[in-house]
C-alpha cells in the first residue's frame, strides 16, 4: 500500500520518480524500490515523505484513508453527525438538512477563489460567535456565572456578529463590482 500511495501522491504533483528522489534526497533506485514494494523505508524516511506530501504516516501505509488530521476530523465528525441526525426528531433533521444545504451551496457555488475565501471567513466568525453564545448560556445554567455576566458576553458576541456581517456585506458588494 505504501508504494501505491507514494506513486499516487507523486503523480498528483505531476512529478517523475527522479523529481521526487531529488526533492527528498533519496536515491532514485531506492525510491523506485519503495514504490514497487521491494523495500520499506526507515521511520525517518517515512516521516520525510509524509511531511513532503503533507499527509500522515498512517495514510502512507494505508491504515487510514484520510490524508491528514483535518480530513480525519471532518470525516469522523460527519459520520457522528449523520448517526445523530438519523436518530433525531424529524424537525431537527429538517433544520439541520437546511443548514447543510445552505453551507454546501456557499462552499460549492464556485471554485475556492480568493473572493470565496473572503466570504467564508466572516461566515466562520459568525458561527464561532453563535457557538460561544450557546456555550455561555449552558455555562450560566450551570450556576457559576450570573445573568449579568452572560448578558455582557452576549453583547460582546453580538458586536462581533455585527462586525462580521459588515465584513461579509463588504465582500459581497466588492464581488459585485468586479
Amino acid at each position: 500500500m505504501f508504494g501505491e500511495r507514494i506513486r499516487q501522491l507523486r503523480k498528483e504533483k505531476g512529478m517523475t520518480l527522479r523529481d521526487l528522489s531529488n526533492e527528498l534526497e533519496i536515491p532514485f533506485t531506492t525510491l523506485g524500490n519503495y514504490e514497487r514494494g521491494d523495500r520499506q523505508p526507515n521511520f525517518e524516511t517515512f516521516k520525510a515523505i509524509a511531511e513532503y506530501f503533507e499527509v500522515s504516516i498512517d495514510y502512507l501505509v494505508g491504515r487510514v484513508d484520510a490524508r491528514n488530521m483535518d480530513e480525519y476530523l471532518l470525516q469522523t465528525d460527519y459520520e457522528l453527525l449523520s448517526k445523530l441526525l438519523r436518530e433525531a426528531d424529524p424537525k431537527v433533521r429538517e433544520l439541520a438538512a437546511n443548514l447543510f444545504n445552505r453551507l454546501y451551496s456557499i462552499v460549492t457555488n464556485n471554485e475556492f477563489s480568493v473572493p470565496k475565501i473572503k466570504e467564508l471567513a466572516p461566515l466562520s466568525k459568525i458561527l464561532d460567535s453563535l457557538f460561544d453564545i450557546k456555550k455561555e448560556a449552558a455555562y450560566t445554567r450551570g450556576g457559576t456565572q450570573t445573568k449579568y455576566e452572560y448578558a455582557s458576553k452576549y453583547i460582546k458576541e453580538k458586536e462581533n456578529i455585527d462586525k462580521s456581517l459588515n465584513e461579509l456585506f463588504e465582500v459581497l458588494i466588492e464581488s459585485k463590482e468586479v
Side-chain angles (χ1 to χ4, degrees):
M1 177 59 82
F2 172 70
E4 294 169 21
R5 292 275 166 102
I6 293 177
R7 181 177 293 116
Q8 172 195 355
L9 292 166
R10 176 177 59 78
K11 288 187 176 191
E12 284 175 10
K13 282 193 172 244
M15 300 177 82
T16 66
L17 197 57
R18 182 137 344 253
D19 294 336
L20 184 58
S21 73
N22 290 337
E23 283 289 322
L24 296 173
E25 297 178 358
I26 296 173
F28 173 78
T29 54
T30 303
L31 195 55
N33 286 332
Y34 294 160
E35 280 198 8
R36 286 189 305 279
D38 295 339
R39 240 179 110 179
Q40 291 292 312
N42 62 26
F43 179 75
E44 290 304 315
T45 305
F46 265 121
K47 186 177 168 197
I49 293 170
E51 286 175 359
Y52 180 79
F53 287 114
E54 297 178 348
V55 298
S56 68
I57 291 174
D58 283 341
Y59 175 77
L60 280 179
V61 298
R63 213 174 280 145
V64 297
D65 287 330
R67 291 181 179 216
N68 53 43
M69 187 54 90
D70 287 341
E71 248 184 58
Y72 174 77
L73 291 174
L74 183 63
Q75 195 174 48
T76 55
D77 286 350
Y78 176 78
E79 289 167 4
L80 176 61
L81 189 58
S82 293
K83 179 183 180 276
L84 291 172
L85 286 175
R86 280 192 302 274
E87 299 166 0
D89 176 81
K91 185 64 178 167
V92 170
R93 233 184 349 263
E94 180 185 335
L95 291 169
N98 186 33
L99 246 164
F100 282 118
N101 287 337
R102 290 176 187 270
L103 182 59
Y104 182 78
S105 69
I106 288 168
V107 172
T108 61
N109 195 9
N110 290 315
E111 73 284 348
F112 281 101
S113 58
V114 172
K116 186 57 68 179
I117 293 169
K118 284 183 178 180
E119 191 177 312
L120 288 173
L123 285 171
S124 179
K125 290 178 189 175
I126 291 167
L127 285 174
D128 286 345
S129 290
L130 291 173
F131 285 121
D132 287 346
I133 289 170
K134 178 149 175 54
K135 181 177 64 180
E136 289 296 328
Y139 188 60
T140 301
R141 281 193 300 271
T144 57
Q145 186 178 48
T146 67
K147 289 182 181 178
Y148 174 77
E149 290 170 324
Y150 174 63
S152 296
K153 291 183 179 182
Y154 167 79
I155 289 169
K156 178 183 167 259
E157 292 303 332
K158 187 175 180 306
E159 289 169 357
N160 289 338
I161 290 171
D162 288 342
K163 182 179 173 188
S164 297
L165 283 171
N166 288 338
E167 286 176 35
L168 178 60
F169 181 71
E170 288 175 19
V171 168
L172 295 174
I173 292 299
E174 185 180 295
S175 70
K176 296 293 181 195
E177 293 174 0
V178 175

